[in-house]
Amino acid sequence: MKVILKAAVLAAVVSVPVATTATAESPFHTGVWQLDTPEGSRGLVVSDWLVFEDGLPKRWLYRRAGTNDANQFDFFTRTIGDSGYTPVGIRVYRTGENSMKYTLAPKGGEPVEVTAERLSIPNFTNSCLSVEKKGKRFFGNWAGTSGSKLKKLNVRKNRITIDGEARNTTIEEVRVGRMGIMEDGKPVAFLTDAGGDYAVLQWFKPGVTVEQMRDKDKEILDFASEEIVRNPGGTCDRQIASRLKAMK
């Protein structure tokens, strides 16, 4: 249980042929939470599409089609850098305005359920972990992290520059929180808002078509690599740390 609960706090992500686009507000799970486990309180940090681990986005959340109502949301998960689903599902069940049951369901194992209380402010207007209404932040400078090989990334509408090497590209919004990058008319990468101060540069394997890049219903799960970058002027890390200090 200790290992499973630690994994619950530190990671999660979803991918499946379903719509994962952010809507008018961030999903209920977006925010900073206190998990009440048999071993004591633990922090859980979740953006619209990712669960964080050790301060960085770690696992993608893909909402499972046909299993969601007003209160229950089931997710497939995938670890950044993996080419397929992680064999651990996640369920969020809303029990109040700012409370939920959070369940980890390892494939072939017994689900582990804990209760959770929100420590942060909900909805995209106030939540720094939301990806809603933040399209302009893709452009400008990004810094490398322990989850990337690159050290510096600059993004413009017609160029990306990685560690001083410029590449002529075009960039377009393919869904809320995700940009498609093309070079010589061919898709080369997504730049996906990870929530908080972070984004993920997702390099395509050869053969990805423009239609696949623009598809809002089917997720690409297998990338050549995924690199986590940070907005050097971001303030969300500090806000998250402040919320976690409020745990009882």
Side-chain angles (χ1 to χ4, degrees):
M1 179 175 286
K2 181 177 181 180
V3 173
I4 293 174
L5 289 175
K6 183 178 181 182
V9 173
L10 300 181
V13 166
V14 292
S15 65
V16 75
V18 286
T20 57
T21 310
T23 53
E25 291 192 355
S26 290
F28 175 75
H29 62 258
T30 300
V32 183
W33 297 83
Q34 175 179 311
L35 296 182
D36 297 315
T37 79
E39 298 177 330
S41 300
R42 294 178 180 269
L44 173 70
V45 179
V46 193
S47 68
D48 288 7
W49 299 330
L50 284 149
V51 176
F52 281 53
E53 176 178 337
D54 296 333
L56 293 178
K58 179 69 174 182
R59 300 185 193 274
W60 295 102
L61 295 170
Y62 303 90
R63 198 168 70 186
R64 186 172 181 175
T67 61
N68 312 289
D69 58 25
N71 296 311
Q72 180 175 306
F73 309 90
D74 290 0
F75 299 99
F76 296 103
T77 70
R78 180 178 69 83
T79 303
I80 285 179
D82 285 356
S83 60
Y85 296 123
T86 302
V88 177
I90 287 177
R91 170 173 291 173
V92 168
Y93 188 85
R94 186 200 313 246
T95 57
E97 284 294 315
N98 293 292
S99 61
M100 67 176 176
K101 291 181 180 178
Y102 185 80
T103 304
L104 277 185
K107 187 175 182 179
E110 289 294 320
V112 176
E113 179 183 278
V114 297
T115 59
E117 295 292 328
R118 183 186 296 279
L119 299 173
S120 61
I121 299 170
N123 85 51
F124 78 86
T125 302
N126 297 306
S127 175
C128 69
L129 283 160
S130 167
V131 307
E132 187 75 23
K133 303 292 186 183
K134 296 178 181 177
K136 292 182 180 178
R137 87 183 199 110
F138 281 112
F139 299 102
N141 293 318
W142 296 87
T145 68
S146 59
S148 69
K149 293 181 180 179
L150 65 84
K151 295 180 180 179
K152 292 182 180 180
L153 169 68
N154 177 269
V155 180
R156 300 183 185 181
K157 290 185 176 180
N158 59 358
R159 182 183 303 165
I160 61 171
T161 304
I162 299 174
D163 294 336
E165 182 179 345
R167 299 170 61 169
N168 293 325
T169 58
T170 58
I171 187 167
E172 64 180 79
E173 185 177 53
V174 295
R175 66 173 66 177
V176 173
R178 173 170 284 170
M179 295 291 191
I181 301 173
M182 293 195 292
E183 186 175 30
D184 297 327
K186 296 179 180 179
V188 293
F190 282 140
L191 184 59
T192 301
D193 194 331
D197 296 332
Y198 300 93
V200 184
L201 185 59
Q202 300 174 286
W203 294 105
F204 297 140
K205 288 187 172 181
V208 171
T209 65
V210 175
E211 290 74 21
Q212 287 174 316
M213 182 187 77
R214 292 173 176 167
D215 194 327
K216 292 181 172 63
D217 297 322
K218 292 184 179 180
E219 289 285 341
I220 297 172
L221 302 181
D222 191 6
F223 295 91
S225 66
E226 295 179 277
E227 301 193 72
I228 303 168
V229 293
R230 184 183 187 278
N231 174 4
T235 62
C236 195
D237 281 350
R238 291 199 296 273
Q239 294 179 53
I240 291 169
S242 175
R243 297 293 180 184
L244 290 174
K245 285 181 181 178
M247 279 198 300
K248 300 176 182 178

